[in-house]
Structure formats: structure tokens, C-alpha cells
Amino acid sequence: MEKKWYRTSVVKVLLMVIFTVSVVLAAIGGSFLIAMVQQGIYIWGDAGKTYLDSESLAQNVFSSSLHILEGIQAEKKRSLAGTEDSSALVVDLEKIRDGGKLTYESLNDKEFSGLGYLKDDLNNWASSGWECSVGKTIVVCCTEDGEEYYYYSDAFLRMMDQEKIQFQWDAESDEASEEYIRELIRDGDLWPSSFFDGLTVNDLERHVKYVNIYHYPDTLIVEKYSPVGEECLLDAVNNSDVWRGRLSDAYASLERTLDEVSADLAAASNLKQYQEGNTNLTYLYVDKDAGKVYTNNGEYESYGNYEESLKRIKENEGYVLIQTKLADCESDLRVGSGESPDLEAWQHTLEGQEISEDFVFAVSVDKNFPVQDSLAKTNANYNQFMGLRSAAVRVIGLAAVLFLFSVIWLTFAAGRRADDEVVHLNSFDRIFTEAAAIGVFFAWICGIALGAEFVNSFVDPLYSFSLDSAELFVFAGILGSFTALMFLWGYMSLVRRIKAKTLWKNSFLRWTLGVVRKMCSKLGELLEFFSHNTGSRIKMVLLMGGFLILQFFINGLIFSGSAFFLLVLTVVDCGAMLYFIRKAEGREQILEGLKRISEGELQYKIPTDRLRGEQKMMAEYINHIGEGLDAAVESSLKNERMKTELITNVSHDIKTPLTSIINYVDLLKRENFTDPKICGYLDILDEKAHRLKVLTEDVVEASKASSGAISLEMTDLNLIEMLHQVMGEFDEKFQERQLSLMVHLTDEAIMIRADGRRLWRVLENIFNNVVKYAMEGTRVYAETASDGEKVTFSLKNISAQPLNISAEELTERFIRGDSSRNTEGSGLGLSIARSLTELQGGGFKLYLDGDLFKVLITFPLV
């Protein structure tokens, strides 16, 4: 066989190298583009030649403006007009609970709902972080009015120690002690909800204070600071008419408040980055509603001179001015296409900050970038590396082409060798498909995790890489190489499995389904075993079970429950049970074989692969009996075929001389003999010769019909139309016999599929039978009936002679209802009619009731 060079090992190795190089190139090019984005360079669609006229600058200014606005919002929220004392500012959690935003209000001017925290406490709490407590417990006490009060477990125990509360026991709770309750509360275990049923808590005057206590089921926030005027949050909730019984709402409001305070602290911290001297941005936000200016330029802080400040900002290059009205917004920033930034988006964003309804916001960029902030770094990176963007995209495109080229080639060559067409699998290809896929994926994940851990240990994280960082591209190359190796390992194995058609064959799911199928099969065999002769088998199982119980009882009495002897008995009994079950199965297989052979399945063989000893010998003898009976039946069928062939051949040989006799009789009749005797003799010869011809033709047709040796031309026929034609043909014959034909046929057409010539012969035979054997002067009934799927034609008449035979016998060959054989029939008409009907897919039945003779012919409707 000629070797195919494109399947050689050298070519495959070269393709793998190309594939690996393509993935590495794509990883390096992609990491370069990602790093550009992380450095604030807008790479998609940015057509600016320099950073100053690029969309990247507009995007970065917009991003910085968002940080500035968030900081201004936090600063406004955290300051209160008319006071600088932060210790007097407080947050009321009721507003947070009702869906309001975080606001600081003066403690002196506000009557609180009972649950509030000082601004400084919240700042310190949010800065240090908050945590939920798992071990600490809250005891919930319920009053008769349905109100709930909350106590930390240590506070509840102090109340017990100081005898401020005491338990009142009833008869059912006498076994529970107060010390046990202390232990439960002290350990913080969740006690059963039904433990304190019937238990009440009294105050010092022995009045019922609480009717039930239980653990607070939700997690708790560890309290680092106390609410205003209270020692803890629980006291504030218990003492407030607004918050009583709503501890879950209090915790939710507190958590949301801490989240917002953290966000405000982060925003304020971000705003410090834009202080004068730290940034190349100058911003000015004028809150016209509050009459206040927020800016990082000390010369612009006066609210009365903000318009002059705006003019000075607009004198600089690179500014954006956003005001309440969109028509008043303007900018001289230009992206590469020469268009201004989307001022409508800027205005929508500023309005979303909800700092002020009437505002002016202006920001400008010092395009000389005197300060080394993020804008200056992005400017340097943009001018240095933006030209490499197209190269990176081209590298990724080339890598994609090489990737597709190598993958397609390797797909065709995978598993094949240069000198044969056999699919070769390795040891990895033979393990379970799911295990192989999980193994490859797990190995890839572990490799990536180890690589990331290595990078984090020795160099800065990926997101802080600069565009000229060698570590970035080295890490990307290593990651790409490892990913290519894992992909080839898994993908090539998948292709080989598909080619070898073992993807599903070696599947763990298929193996599992196979085990389940076998178990179901065994269970089905067991159910099948008990489904036959169920009573005796259940008795056998019950007797065996009773015997086993007796054995175990004896083992317990005599051998003192010896584990070894019990194990031996179990093994012996299981073996005995399996032996008897096998014997029972074998006996039933033999009985089943005898039954099926007796019912006519002479070729049935009893399976002997699971039989042993006498049962196997008995089954083989029965199989030989079946073979003998089958041979006898085959011999009988052969004899029947020979008889049929003999009848056909003899009938054919008789037709030739009979035709000559008929022809010569016809010639003699043309001689015009005058002697009446001679003319009478010729008439008898002619009549008998024609009758013999009809009989011969009937014998041949009956033989062909019974053997099926007739070719049919099936077409769609109107049965009603054919019945009318046949009845018209027999109208004179019926009148000669004084027979009245009572017709009950449907008016509409009934279409069946049959051979027209053969169906005509069927109808002709049954009508001839009526003419020959019906009693003169009687009625003949012809009817049709349909049920939507099939049509039935029935023909009924009264027989002239007593019918002393069965309907089945009348359809046999050479059987006639006229036992004296005075009529001209051959005894083949009904037999031919039945055979032809069945050959066309119909049904033919006879019914006899005294002298009533009835024929039913059934055909499916088209």
C-alpha cells in the first residue's frame, strides 16, 4: 500500500508545532490588546493619530469625571450646612428601612425613631469592616400580646442571675431544670422548638412576662459601636415603638447603611486623587440650589465668581462643559473622527448622581500633562504603542488562520498512519470518555492556577502589567503553550474516539446504563420466574425462608450464635437456593418446550445451555422428537404439493383432447343430420364435453388459487357498481328459478382495492351457487354494510336441499351441498371464491342456520 505522506509522524509533529505557535501568537496579541485596555486606551474604533485627539482621552476624562462626581456627592452627603461638628451628625435607620438614601442629620434638631448611629462611628465601623457572628446567640422572648423582645444570651443569663426573671414550671416540665436551661443558652445550641412548651417567664412580682422563648434564627452583625442613646442595637429595638419586634429589619437597614458609608468613603478617597497638584484635570461643579462650588482649584472656590471661573476654564484647550440644559453643553475635546464626545450621555450621567437639580459642571485637561498621573501615563502608552494595535490584530488573524489550518489537517490525520487505514488508539483513548474529558479539563485548570500563583509570587498581578513589561508576554506565551498542549491532548483523543466509534462505547454513562439494564434484566427474569406458577414458587420461597429462620434459631441455641457457623450456613443456604431455582427454571423450560411443540411449533428448540444432567438429556430428546415431527409435517406438505401439481398437470393434459372432442362434435352438428337419434346423441356429447371443460378449468383455477400461483392486477374498484353489473347478468337466471332478489345496497360509491377480473369470478361463483342450490320461489337478500374501515357484502338464500354439513366443509374442494349430486355443480365454486378473496386481501365466510345459507365477503375500504 502506498504511504500517505500527510499522515506521517513528521508531518503531525510539524502541525502540532504550527498549532502551538498559533495559540501562543494569539495569546500574546490578545494580552497586548487587553493590557492596552487596562491602561485606559480605547482600542476599538479609535482613529486618533495622537492621544490628544483620540476617543481614549474622551473616555478617560469621562471616567475621571464619574469618580469626581461620586466624590462630590459623598462630600455633600457627609457635610451639614451650618455646622462643622461631625460628632453631632447622625443617621436615622428608619429612612434607610423605608428605602431612602443615606443622609446625615443633626442630632440636636431631630427626634429619632429610636435607632440611629453617629457619623464618626459609622465611618470607623465601615473603615474597619464588619462581620457576622455565628457563635453568639440572641434569645427572643414573646409576650401574651404577641410582641417580641430580644436579649443577647449573656444579658439574659444576667437577668436570671439577678432574679429579675424566673421560670414557672408545669407538671409536664418538672424534669427540666433551670440549670439545664442556663447550659443551653450559655452554649448557644439551638434547642428544640417544643422544649419550652407550657413554660412561662415571670417578673419579680410573679406576673407573667413572657409566654415563650426561642433562639433568633438568622445571623447577627457583630456590634462594634452602639446606637445613639443605647448600649446595644437590641436595647434600641426593644425600647422603640417603631422598631420593636423588627430585629431582622434593623439588621438589614444597618447592613445597607454600612455598605453606603463604605461607598462614600471610597468615593471620598478617590476624590483626593484629583486634588490640585495631583492631577492634570481641573474640575468645577456649581451647585446652584445650595449656592456652593466644588473644585480642585483654589482660585475657583468663590460661588459669586463661578461664571468668571468657567470662562477661564474654557480658555484652556480640552474642556467639557455640562449644564442643566443640553443646549448649553459644549466641549472642545475631539475624537479621531473630529466629532465631540456624546454630551447627552454626559448630562444624563450627571443628572443620575442627584447632587443638584440646577448645576454647572466643567472639566478641563492640561494637554501638556505636567503631572505624572494616569492621564499622562496613558498618553505616553498611547503614543508609543497605539501603532502596534494593527500589528497585534494582524498577528491574531494570522494565528486564527494557522489554527484552523492545523486543526483541520490534524483532524483528518488523527488516529491514522501513513501505511494503513486502521484507527490506532492509545491507552488514554481507552479510558472512560467522561473521565478523559474531566482529566484534561482539571489538568488545564490546575496548570493555569499554578501559573497564576507563580506570577503573583514573583511579579505584579496581570492587571498591573505595563505594555512594555516582558513578564506579560512571557506569561501569555507560557499560558498559550500549555493551553495548546491541553487542547491537543483532549481534542485529538476525541477525534480518534469518534473515528473508532468508541466515543459512546467507552462512555461511563453507557457502562452505567448497561449495568442498570442487566440489573433490570435479572429482575425481569426473577419476576418472569414468579409470574408462572406463582403460587407454588411463593410457597417454595416461604418454605425456604422458614427453613433459614429455623437454621438461625438452631445456630443461636446450639452454637451460641457463632458468627463463623452463621456465615457457613448462609453460604450453604444461598448455594442450595440457587441450585433449586436453577432446577425449577430447567423444569419450566422443558414444560414450555413441550407446550409450544404440542401447539404446532415443531421447529422450536428447548435451550440447553443452562441445563445440566438429566434435564439436559431430556431436553435433547424432546428436541429430537420435534425434529421428527417437523420432518413428518414437511413430508406431508411435500405430498400435498405433489397432489396439487398432479391435478394441475392432469387437468392440463385433459384439456387438449377435450378441445378436439368439442371441435369435432361441432363439425358433426354442422352436417345437418336428419335422424333425431343422431341429433340427440350429438347434443348429449356437446353438453357433457362442455361440462367436462368447465370442470377441468375449475380444477386448474382451484389449484392455482389454493397455491397462490396467480398474478393479481390490483386497482381501486367501486364495489357497488360491480355488484349491480353482476346482478344484472344473473337477472334472467333468477327469473327462471323464480327467485326474488332483495337488494339493500348503499347509494354512494364504496371503493376497495382488488383485481377486477378475479373479484368478478368471486361474485359470479357465489351467485351461481344461489342459482343452482336455492329453493325455487324464495327470496334472495343482497346487502352491504360499512363501519368506516371495511365493507361487508352479504348474500343470503334458502337452500333447496337440507344442509347436513358444516360451513367449513362447503369451502373445501369437491364438496357440494347437494349430496345426491343431481345438480351440475363441480364442488369447486366456493373453494375458488374463498381462495381468490383471501389472495386479494379480503375475508370470505359462510354461515349455515338450518336451511339458511349466508355468504359474507369483506374488503378494507380505500
Side-chain angles (χ1 to χ4, degrees):
M1 180 179 180
E2 183 181 357
K3 290 188 176 182
K4 297 180 179 180
W5 63 270
Y6 53 87
R7 294 182 185 172
T8 59
S9 299
V10 175
V11 174
K12 290 181 180 179
V13 171
L14 179 60
L15 289 170
M16 291 180 184
V17 172
I18 295 174
F19 176 85
T20 304
V21 170
S22 68
V23 176
V24 170
L25 290 177
I28 293 175
S31 62
F32 179 78
L33 295 179
I34 292 173
M36 291 181 67
V37 174
Q38 292 173 346
Q39 294 295 325
I41 300 176
Y42 188 73
I43 61 174
W44 306 115
D46 200 336
K49 295 182 180 180
T50 65
Y51 182 63
L52 298 178
D53 61 351
S54 69
E55 190 170 353
S56 298
L57 176 59
Q59 291 287 340
N60 292 338
V61 172
F62 179 73
S63 177
S64 298
S65 298
L66 287 181
H67 292 157
I68 292 170
L69 292 170
E70 290 171 356
I72 293 174
Q73 184 186 40
E75 183 178 339
K76 180 178 180 180
K77 185 189 302 181
R78 294 162 56 82
S79 62
L80 184 67
T83 180
E84 297 295 334
D85 185 8
S86 62
S87 61
L89 297 180
V90 68
V91 175
D92 187 1
L93 265 61
E94 183 183 11
K95 291 188 176 181
I96 302 297
R97 184 193 67 185
D98 296 335
K101 290 188 180 254
L102 177 67
T103 56
Y104 297 97
E105 302 181 61
S106 174
L107 179 63
N108 301 323
D109 300 335
K110 169 69 178 174
E111 182 179 353
F112 287 97
S113 62
L115 182 57
Y117 286 88
L118 293 175
K119 168 188 170 183
D120 292 343
D121 290 345
L122 290 174
N123 290 344
N124 297 331
W125 197 348
S127 299
S128 60
W130 67 94
E131 58 185 6
C132 295
S133 174
V134 178
K136 202 168 184 179
T137 307
I138 291 180
V139 181
V140 184
C141 301
C142 302
T143 66
E144 290 181 326
D145 298 333
E147 292 185 343
E148 293 182 345
Y149 290 85
Y150 310 96
Y151 303 96
Y152 287 118
S153 56
D154 52 355
F156 191 82
L157 291 174
R158 282 196 302 271
M159 292 168 61
M160 293 178 63
D161 294 337
Q162 298 170 5
E163 297 184 352
K164 293 182 179 180
I165 58 173
Q166 52 185 308
F167 291 95
Q168 177 181 343
W169 311 95
D170 60 8
E172 297 180 358
S173 304
D174 287 342
E175 297 181 1
S177 65
E178 187 170 318
E179 185 58 33
Y180 181 57
I181 295 177
R182 291 174 181 272
E183 183 179 349
L184 284 176
I185 297 175
R186 189 182 302 112
D187 294 342
D189 297 328
L190 290 177
W191 54 73
S193 60
S194 61
F195 180 79
F196 291 98
D197 287 348
L199 180 64
T200 58
V201 180
N202 298 337
D203 55 16
L204 292 176
E205 299 177 357
R206 294 190 172 275
H207 295 151
V208 175
K209 188 171 185 178
Y210 305 120
V211 296
N212 187 24
I213 65 173
Y214 63 91
H215 275 186
Y216 182 71
D218 297 332
T219 56
L220 321 174
I221 296 179
V222 177
E223 293 192 61
K224 294 184 178 180
Y225 296 90
S226 301
V228 175
E230 300 290 349
E231 293 185 2
C232 66
L233 183 143
L234 301 188
D235 291 343
V237 172
N238 292 336
N239 298 330
S240 172
D241 294 335
V242 176
W243 289 96
R244 186 176 301 119
R246 306 181 67 175
L247 182 59
S248 298
D249 292 343
Y251 276 131
S253 300
L254 176 59
E255 185 173 354
R256 182 180 167 193
T257 300
L258 292 173
D259 285 334
E260 292 200 24
V261 171
S262 297
D264 288 346
L265 291 175
S269 177
N270 289 334
L271 187 62
K272 293 179 181 179
Q273 300 176 10
Y274 299 96
Q275 291 179 349
E276 188 175 5
N278 294 337
T279 179
N280 292 304
L281 283 178
T282 300
Y283 70 86
L284 173 67
Y285 186 92
V286 181
D287 183 353
K288 294 184 178 180
D289 294 334
K292 190 172 182 179
V293 173
Y294 300 89
T295 182
N296 62 348
N297 191 323
E299 299 178 0
Y300 302 158
E301 292 180 350
S302 175
Y303 177 77
N305 297 327
Y306 80 85
E307 293 183 354
E308 183 65 26
S309 301
L310 288 176
K311 292 180 180 180
R312 293 178 59 186
I313 289 177
K314 291 170 63 175
E315 291 176 356
N316 300 327
E317 294 182 359
Y319 73 90
V320 178
L321 174 62
I322 305 297
Q323 302 191 55
T324 306
K325 294 182 180 180
L326 180 61
D328 297 334
C329 300
E330 57 181 288
S331 172
D332 74 338
L333 283 179
R334 293 292 180 267
V335 298
S337 59
E339 298 178 356
S340 299
D342 189 352
L343 298 179
E344 185 176 359
W346 281 64
Q347 185 198 45
H348 180 72
T349 303
L350 265 66
E351 290 176 346
Q353 297 298 322
E354 299 181 358
I355 302 174
S356 174
E357 294 184 0
D358 192 4
F359 64 89
V360 176
F361 176 74
V363 60
S364 64
V365 183
D366 189 343
K367 294 187 176 181
N368 295 320
F369 299 108
V371 179
Q372 290 301 310
D373 62 353
S374 60
L375 292 177
K377 294 179 181 179
T378 305
N379 174 50
N381 289 331
Y382 189 98
N383 296 332
Q384 183 178 358
F385 297 106
M386 192 60 181
L388 299 176
R389 179 190 62 172
S390 300
V393 173
R394 286 194 293 269
V395 167
I396 293 175
L398 175 62
V401 173
L402 294 177
F403 177 88
L404 292 175
F405 170 77
S406 56
V407 166
I408 294 173
W409 197 326
L410 286 171
T411 300
F412 281 106
R416 308 283 189 185
R417 293 179 181 173
D419 52 354
D420 59 36
E421 294 296 327
V422 180
V423 179
H424 298 274
L425 302 177
N426 55 36
S427 56
F428 179 77
D429 299 333
R430 292 182 173 87
I431 66 176
F432 285 132
T433 302
E434 295 87 347
I438 294 173
V440 172
F441 181 75
F442 183 74
W444 181 74
I445 290 295
C446 290
I448 296 298
L450 290 175
E453 184 66 24
F454 174 80
V455 171
N456 289 334
S457 300
F458 293 95
V459 296
D460 292 333
L462 177 63
Y463 59 79
S464 65
F465 283 171
S466 61
L467 286 169
D468 56 352
S469 174
E471 292 88 348
L472 169 65
F473 304 111
V474 171
F475 178 72
I478 295 174
L479 175 63
S481 301
F482 182 71
T483 301
L485 175 62
M486 292 295 100
F487 178 84
L488 284 176
W489 185 18
Y491 177 75
M492 298 303 288
S493 177
L494 175 64
V495 173
R496 290 191 294 268
R497 290 168 188 263
I498 294 175
K499 288 184 178 181
K501 299 180 180 180
T502 61
L503 182 67
W504 173 246
K505 184 178 179 181
N506 287 349
S507 171
F508 177 77
L509 177 60
R510 179 179 179 273
W511 178 82
T512 304
L513 293 177
V515 172
V516 173
R517 189 183 300 111
K518 288 181 180 179
M519 294 175 62
C520 294
S521 177
K522 295 297 182 182
L523 180 60
E525 291 177 3
L526 183 61
L527 295 176
E528 178 70 16
F529 174 74
F530 281 98
S531 64
H532 303 290
N533 200 12
T534 306
S536 62
R537 294 178 181 177
I538 292 178
K539 290 179 182 178
M540 180 188 71
V541 172
L542 292 177
L543 288 174
M544 191 67 184
F547 177 69
L548 292 176
I549 294 173
L550 179 62
Q551 279 188 338
F552 294 144
F553 181 72
I554 294 174
N555 175 55
L557 290 179
I558 300 177
F559 298 97
S560 301
S562 172
F564 175 75
F565 187 74
L566 181 62
L567 179 62
V568 172
L569 280 180
T570 303
V571 173
V572 172
D573 291 339
C574 290
M577 180 177 288
L578 290 176
Y579 174 78
F580 288 120
I581 290 177
R582 286 288 181 87
K583 283 292 184 181
E585 288 180 348
R587 183 173 64 255
E588 291 179 0
Q589 284 184 355
I590 294 174
L591 290 175
E592 178 68 17
L594 289 172
K595 178 183 177 182
R596 296 177 70 168
I597 291 174
S598 65
E599 291 176 349
E601 295 185 42
L602 302 179
Q603 296 182 350
Y604 179 77
K605 304 295 181 185
I606 300 175
T608 60
D609 53 340
R610 301 184 63 180
L611 300 180
R612 299 291 184 272
E614 294 181 353
Q615 287 186 344
K616 185 173 183 178
M617 187 182 302
M618 188 183 303
E620 290 175 348
Y621 286 153
I622 294 173
N623 289 340
H624 291 323
I625 293 175
E627 292 175 358
L629 291 175
D630 189 26
V633 172
E634 181 64 27
S635 176
S636 175
L637 293 175
K638 182 178 180 181
N639 292 335
E640 184 67 23
R641 287 195 297 269
M642 291 179 64
K643 290 179 182 179
T644 301
E645 292 176 359
L646 176 62
I647 291 173
T648 303
N649 293 335
V650 170
S651 300
H652 183 270
D653 292 340
I654 290 175
K655 287 177 66 177
T656 302
L658 182 59
T659 303
S660 300
I661 293 174
I662 293 173
N663 291 335
Y664 280 110
V665 169
D666 185 60
L667 290 175
L668 288 174
K669 292 176 71 175
R670 292 180 183 180
E671 294 295 330
N672 297 323
F673 291 105
T674 57
D675 189 344
K677 290 184 178 181
I678 294 175
C679 291
Y681 295 154
L682 289 176
D683 290 338
I684 293 174
L685 283 173
D686 186 47
E687 179 184 351
K688 299 304 180 183
H690 278 89
R691 181 181 176 189
L692 182 59
K693 180 180 179 182
V694 172
L695 178 60
T696 304
E697 291 175 349
D698 286 349
V699 168
V700 174
E701 187 163 5
S703 176
K704 290 182 179 180
S706 62
S707 62
I710 294 179
S711 59
L712 301 175
E713 297 180 2
M714 305 294 286
T715 57
D716 293 344
L717 301 175
N718 186 349
L719 178 61
I720 301 301
E721 181 179 350
M722 180 170 285
L723 287 173
H724 282 299
Q725 292 176 359
V726 173
M727 288 186 290
E729 291 286 336
F730 281 86
D731 185 53
E732 292 184 3
K733 295 181 180 181
F734 274 48
Q735 292 179 4
E736 291 176 2
R737 295 293 307 276
Q738 300 179 3
L739 297 175
S740 301
L741 185 60
M742 310 301 295
V743 181
H744 299 285
L745 306 181
T746 59
D747 295 333
E748 62 273 8
I750 296 180
M751 304 303 295
I752 63 173
R753 189 164 185 80
D755 186 323
R757 187 163 65 89
R758 306 299 179 183
L759 183 59
W760 181 277
R761 180 62 188 276
V762 171
L763 298 176
E764 185 180 38
N765 283 3
I766 62 175
F767 274 93
N768 266 326
N769 188 75
V770 171
V771 172
K772 292 176 183 178
Y773 300 110
M775 180 182 292
E776 293 187 3
T778 59
R779 294 185 181 89
V780 178
Y781 293 89
E783 301 176 349
T784 57
S786 175
D787 60 1
E789 295 183 358
K790 59 184 178 180
V791 60
T792 301
F793 169 68
S794 64
L795 190 65
K796 296 183 289 186
N797 66 276
I798 301 299
S799 176
Q801 300 294 331
L803 299 175
N804 298 322
I805 59 176
S806 65
E808 186 65 26
E809 289 179 315
L810 277 177
T811 56
E812 297 296 331
R813 288 177 288 180
F814 305 107
I815 299 297
R816 295 163 61 185
D818 179 13
S819 58
S820 63
R821 306 186 71 86
N822 292 324
T823 59
E824 298 295 324
S826 63
L828 294 172
L830 294 180
S831 176
I832 293 173
R834 183 183 69 173
S835 298
L836 290 177
T837 301
E838 292 174 352
L839 284 174
Q840 296 175 82
F844 187 94
K845 292 184 179 180
L846 297 182
Y847 294 95
L848 302 180
D849 188 1
D851 294 338
L852 177 63
F853 180 83
K854 182 178 179 181
V855 180
L856 292 180
I857 298 176
T858 305
F859 276 96
L861 292 173
V862 175

